Amino acid sequence: QRLLGGEFDFNEGENNTDRLGCFKNDDLYIPQPIENAVEGLQAALQAYILMPSEDEDKFRYSRFIYVRPSKIKVNGPSYSHDRYVQASASLRECQNIQKMHFRIAQVMMKYSRLDNRSLYAKAQHVCQAAPIIKRRVWHRNQFRELLFQAAQRAIESGARPTALQYYRACLDLMQDEPWTDGPDVYYDETLDIHSKAAELHWHQGQFDKSQELVSKTLQGARTASDRAPSWIIKSRLLSQEGNIAGAFKALRMSLRELGVDCDSKPSLETLDSELDRLRDLIRSTDASHNLQKPLNKDPRVVSLGAVLIEATSAAFWSDALLFYQLVIKMVDVHMKYPQTFSQIGLGFSYFSMVSVIQKNDIAFAIQCINIGAGLLGQFKESYTYGRALSLRVMFIESFCRPMREHISIVEEAIEHSLISGDKHLFLLSVGLVASCRLFQGDDMMEIDNYCSFAAEDYGDWSRDLRGGTYLTAVRQVSRALQGKTWCDTADTVMSDIDHNTEEYMDFVNAHASNPERLVINSHFVYLHIDSHRPRDIYNSFMMIPLYLFGHYDWAIHVGTKTTETIDQLWSIRNNRLTIFYLSLSILAKLREYPSHPDRDKLLKKVARYKSDIDIWQTESSVNYLMWSLLIEAEMAEINGKYHEAILLFETAIDHTQLYDFMLEQALIFELQGEFFLRRGSKRAGRNTLLDSIAVYLRVGASGKAERLRIKYEWLLSTAVSVRTSDIGVQTASSIGDIGNTQFRIQENDRQQSLDVETADDRTSAWINPKQPIGSDFPRESRTGPDISGLGLDMLDLQSILEFNQAISSELQIDRLLAKMTEIILESAGAQADFAGIVIENEGGWEIAVSGTADGITSEPLPLAELRDETQRQVLLYTMRFKEIVFVHNVLHDDRFCNTPSVRSVISLPIIQGEDLLGVLYLEGQPNTFTDRNLGVLQLFCNQVAISIANALLFRRVRKVSAANTSMIETQKRALAQARDAEIKAKSAEVEALKNVKLKEEAVKAKSMFLANVSHELRTPLNGVIGMSELLKGTHLNREQDGYADSIRVCADTLLTVINDILDFSKLEAQKMKIDNLPLNFKQTIIEVIRALSHINAKEGLETVEDLELDENLLVLGDQVRLHQILMNLLSNSYKFTAKGSITIRARTEHEDQNTITVTCSIIDTGIGITQGQLSRLFEPFSQADSSTQRSYGGSGLGLSICKALIDVLNGHIWLESQLGVGTTVSFRVTFRKALKEAANSKTDSLARNPDPMATWSSDPNKVTTSSASASIDLSQISRDQLRICIAEDNPINQKIAVSFVSKLGFKSEAFSDGLQAVEALRLRSSEGRPFHLVLMDVQMPVLDGYDATKLIRKDNDPAVCSVLVIAMTASAIRGDREKCLEAGMNNYLAKPVKAAVLKAMLEDYLDQTAKPITNLQEKANEVARDTMRNGDNKRPPAVKNSQSNLIQQSNLSNAAPFDGEGVVRTLPAKESLPVRPLDGTLLTRPTMHRASSSGGESEETVTQEDMK
């Protein structure tokens, strides 16, 4: 109704009377008369569209399309189907399909509930209406969100083409500028859609469109982590083209953006030393520590892990050293930091294979692979997990697991590759399955078919140089062994009509990357021009047919060339496969030329190769022992140790039979047979060669078997076999004559005189098997006088009756099949060696019961695991074609020519109706079964089918019954569990509420504790610092002045520690607030450099500025935290650098219209630290070692606070150091650009001081209260008349405040609590001597500062309520500022209060010319005169020349270079810097802010030593 209501109809210029090419909407709602409705119902009933029901007012739809003509009561067609056709033909097609979908989509979006059923329907309508939606709807986010959800659901279901259609519609519905902020533009949405659409285009083979989207994403993405997925897709596109070097280059660019730079020419020695270091570190670290590391949620780290894995994979196929370097870097990142990334399990897999090749440490490699498996299981993700499984099989599993078990692992990897859509992993895994099957010795024809068709969905996989190389090489090897390639010549042994080895090698050399690269060798590094890993893999497989077909010279040539780069194959089994066949080829040539001049040298080489194979057997010898034994046997023969050679051959054969290495078994039989022939044992050699041919045929290597048969035809043709016939019973399938048998028909073809075979003939043949058929003896004389011609047929009848009786009473399928097998074996007598019945079970087809002369076994054997190739082929043939198989010798049957067995077989399908229930299989010695056995078994099968069907039905009934019972029990348990869960949930809810309340109370208690700690520590500190300043203002000698300075430095250091702890507490609680105010980043850096460089201008220590930043660029940031970070890092460099230089470098890494990324580095030439100490530096309360703290001091919080602050700023910090050389600390931060107009409005006071309560506002109007009236304007009051009230409970602080105010030339009175202060204000006002300003402590007895201020503001006396109140608080907790202002205070100061800060604040309020402080001035002049009279010759001339200027500058208002807000300002170039005379007396007191270990500031007077 809503759809037809026309709510979303519109007119774009077409005829309004036919807007959709259909009826008008208004026409659909015209009321119809009752007569029309009745007429319509009658027509529907007559057409059998509707059917009457029991209720005359109700009708039902007809379910029948065909209606008999006699039931039609109206004129027209005879079938209701025709009426439907006529009705549908009368409808008109909608002329505007897009408009129709638009209206449907709009209605469904507004009124239909979003669920799984409607999601795809809505998405399809939106896709069809996308052009109209884009024209008529401006805010299209809801449509894109719907399509995005549908695409994600489609990907989860495996429908990637459908998902791609939805993503295309999303792209069509985006705004014209999707990467520029604006209405209906969302950056995250744009990034996700472009990235996922590009990946799906790549997966569907639409590479051009994928490249287009990747280019747009790389151009529009804002951060390196956002661009990382696009770089990965770009690398895959390049890899698809065969440009592996370009693929790695793209990934390398992404790594550089993410802050990981790879050395383009890494040193092998450096990498080996790093490998040793990491091996020692992993061994010394508990495995649980590596497995328990949490994931790092930082997007940069997540992207870094994905790119590292992709780059490592690309580097493996392109550059061995870069691959080595990336593997080291991955594991180093994991071991260095407390958190890790999800792909690290794959990194440990790579690390294990590097350890094998570089260090031959198999045990350690297995330890690493176990760590990797644990990490992969913890962070299980299909893309990474699938790759790890493939790598385990490819590089490590051959050391510890039988080859047969590898296939199941790789098949699991294939499943994960399909889930993740990783086409490269899919192809590589398929190639690994093919190689495992070849190594195991599966049927060559099946391997050939698998290689040809398993990866057909990939496309042209032959051009892929990873998994495609595996498939190509394995396929050609299997074809060569089948005799399908041109094996007569060495250079074409792998070539056929579909593949040319020379052309393929040209393709590999043209497309394999990095043709000139360093080759890793265990002893040295050299440059090899034409070495390619795909070529090495192909050549390693080619060694198999080269040796087996006798091309020893070419095998030696190819093998020797491959061994030059063999270590680039790392620990792939092809590594040892190459040297195995190379060793056999060398030994074969030595047998041909016993007097070879290099005989001893070649034998030593073979011995070294054998030793290399032995190394890989240290953990398990299952996959390599037969190779080692075979080489050793061949060497023993050459050295004349024949008995030892025989023992080694036998041991090798036993090993291959134990683990089913069929190809090696055939090879060992061949070599052993040739050994026997060379030693003159022809019979043993012939039998052994026959065994070799049989095994070759068993694995489908018919080409090799034929070559061996031709080679030794002179020997095999003379073979004589002794055969015995043990015929038990030969019976007929019915009483009397049944006509000719198959044998009889064959004989009739040769001898036309034969009659129809009768029962007498069969009986005679059974009694006298050597009696020729069709002889002239009479029938009576053939059978004998006492045996009837029907006797044996009666035996068949008896067997059939017993069989029926036995199986009719049994419904248990297992016992039924066991009885059947037993009866069949008894009826066959000694003719049958094996009998079995195959049925279909839940896991597939299996041999349910089998029997031999030794007994019956009911242990099922799946056909997939059946080792006997003859049985498997015959059974599969019978099941596929449902035909009877009866052959006297399968070796001579064309259907089973690949089977090596020599036996007679009967295989009968058990069929009921059209359904195949099973197969009855019987086998024996050649030519033992006859047609009589076949006839009896056919009768058995008829009854067997009925019994098996009944038994299977009974089993299904029992299963259904058991399932129902189990379901009821499960539901009962589920109900009980649900009740328990509900009770537990309610208890948990109560407990959770209790915990929340406790947590809130804990947070409140922590805040109060920090406030109290801050107050209790700062209050005595205020006394220490204040008294030290007062002490400095008295007459002191040099020693006393030094003591006063020491007191002040210690107090400042303690204040720094307090600030550090407070900062660390805020960061730990994640309550650190960051302000984003306009600032000049370059100027910010310069301020810190100037503040610290003068203080630390030691002899020979140079400060270098290397700032390549725009001087006029303004960014949004927190200047407080940036100052804190820079001061901390610079202070550390100055602290630990005795000589040399400090370099501050800043570079712009990336800049676009809205953001700028800057990297700052502080490089010093200090003491440096070791690599093992780097990981501890960013941990709180830790330093490089204990000696560092003893020598240099510090709390160990500085770098941890810096790292936390940089993390809050979404940046990254890292440190590189070398002991004795120096340290480089770098951090990278991304800022948003600020408008230039914002420079006029920025506030420096709150942005510069890291102490949140240590600043005060220079504008009295900015600090207002909600309860106070207008305060007194101090600028209108004479300085002599200004009266100050001091409320302070601590006597020492009270004394300090009175002294500070008195020295500033103001009158003051002090009171011990807030109530006394309020009463004093009222009293002095009544006396006509009112106070103009109150310095109010916050925490006081009787009445605290907050309540006292509220009383003042509520007072009726204008002189009292308008007084200016300035808080003096010892608390530095954020929030106290707001509390002060809410109480009615005008401003605030943090303790410890410094005289200079108090003076600057008061001067700002007075806005008058400052009076000189007489006592300080006179003291300075007096000390200066005394110093000049003494005529100290040690005083530098610069001090003497500037003495008059210093005295003139001694006025306190000009002494310290403050900017009016208590913060250091940069001194102008022409302004002379204040210094201290030689006696230590203060002439001027400039305050320079030095960064502590946490970035806090401490004040230090500049001395003459500092100014050298």
Side-chain angles (χ1 to χ4, degrees), residues 40 44 185 365 521 561 591 621 828 861 1009 1223 1258 1464 1476 1494:
V185 174
N521 189 281
K561 185 176 181 181
R591 279 198 303 268
S621 61
L861 176 64
F1009 173 75
T1223 303
S1258 60
V1464 172
R1476 182 190 300 276
S1494 64

Side-chain angles (χ1 to χ4, degrees), residues 1019-1084:
T1019 297
L1021 271 180
N1022 186 49
V1024 173
I1025 294 175
M1027 285 299 181
S1028 66
E1029 288 193 7
L1030 293 176
L1031 183 61
K1032 293 288 289 184
T1034 61
H1035 297 280
L1036 301 174
N1037 58 32
R1038 176 177 298 181
E1039 182 178 5
Q1040 293 170 337
D1041 190 62
Y1043 294 157
D1045 286 341
S1046 300
I1047 293 172
R1048 178 59 182 272
V1049 170
C1050 293
D1052 288 341
T1053 303
L1054 182 57
L1055 179 61
T1056 297
V1057 174
I1058 294 172
N1059 289 338
D1060 284 350
I1061 295 174
L1062 292 176
D1063 280 345
F1064 180 74
S1065 300
K1066 294 179 213 169
L1067 290 168
E1068 188 180 38
Q1070 297 181 351
K1071 291 186 177 181
M1072 177 66 73
K1073 295 183 180 179
I1074 299 298
D1075 297 324
N1076 281 321
L1077 299 174
L1079 60 92
N1080 187 319
F1081 188 58
K1082 182 174 183 179
Q1083 188 62 33
T1084 301

Side-chain angles (χ1 to χ4, degrees), residues 1118-1223:
D1118 192 328
Q1119 198 168 10
V1120 154
R1121 302 307 166 190
L1122 292 174
H1123 269 206
Q1124 190 172 356
I1125 293 167
L1126 290 168
M1127 282 199 168
N1128 177 29
L1129 298 180
L1130 268 174
S1131 297
N1132 281 345
S1133 294
Y1134 282 118
K1135 181 193 298 184
F1136 296 107
T1137 303
K1139 62 180 179 178
S1141 64
I1142 308 292
T1143 302
I1144 299 90
R1145 179 181 300 159
R1147 295 288 187 274
T1148 300
E1149 297 291 336
H1150 171 74
E1151 183 176 5
D1152 54 27
Q1153 186 176 359
N1154 300 315
T1155 62
I1156 181 171
T1157 301
V1158 180
T1159 298
C1160 293
S1161 301
I1162 292 90
I1163 307 165
D1164 64 52
T1165 57
I1167 60 175
I1169 59 175
T1170 63
Q1171 296 297 317
Q1173 297 168 339
L1174 284 176
S1175 58
R1176 299 197 301 267
L1177 285 185
F1178 292 108
E1179 296 178 2
F1181 303 105
S1182 64
Q1183 294 186 348
D1185 54 32
S1186 58
S1187 62
T1188 302
Q1189 187 171 6
R1190 289 194 303 267
S1191 302
Y1192 297 95
S1195 62
L1197 282 175
L1199 285 178
S1200 63
I1201 291 178
C1202 277
K1203 183 180 184 304
L1205 287 173
I1206 291 173
D1207 289 342
V1208 172
L1209 295 173
N1210 296 322
H1212 173 58
I1213 185 172
W1214 65 96
L1215 187 144
E1216 299 172 353
S1217 183
Q1218 186 173 353
L1219 190 64
V1221 176
T1223 303

Side-chain angles (χ1 to χ4, degrees), residues 194-239:
H194 276 74
S195 300
K196 295 182 183 299
E199 184 176 6
L200 282 178
H201 275 298
W202 168 79
H203 192 276
Q204 297 303 118
Q206 300 171 8
F207 304 127
D208 293 338
K209 294 182 179 179
S210 179
Q211 180 62 49
E212 180 183 354
L213 290 174
V214 166
S215 300
K216 290 181 179 178
T217 307
L218 291 176
Q219 184 177 2
R222 298 174 181 175
T223 65
S225 57
D226 292 342
R227 287 189 292 273
S230 297
W231 283 118
I232 293 175
I233 298 172
K234 186 178 181 66
S235 72
R236 293 177 181 175
L237 290 170
L238 294 170
S239 178

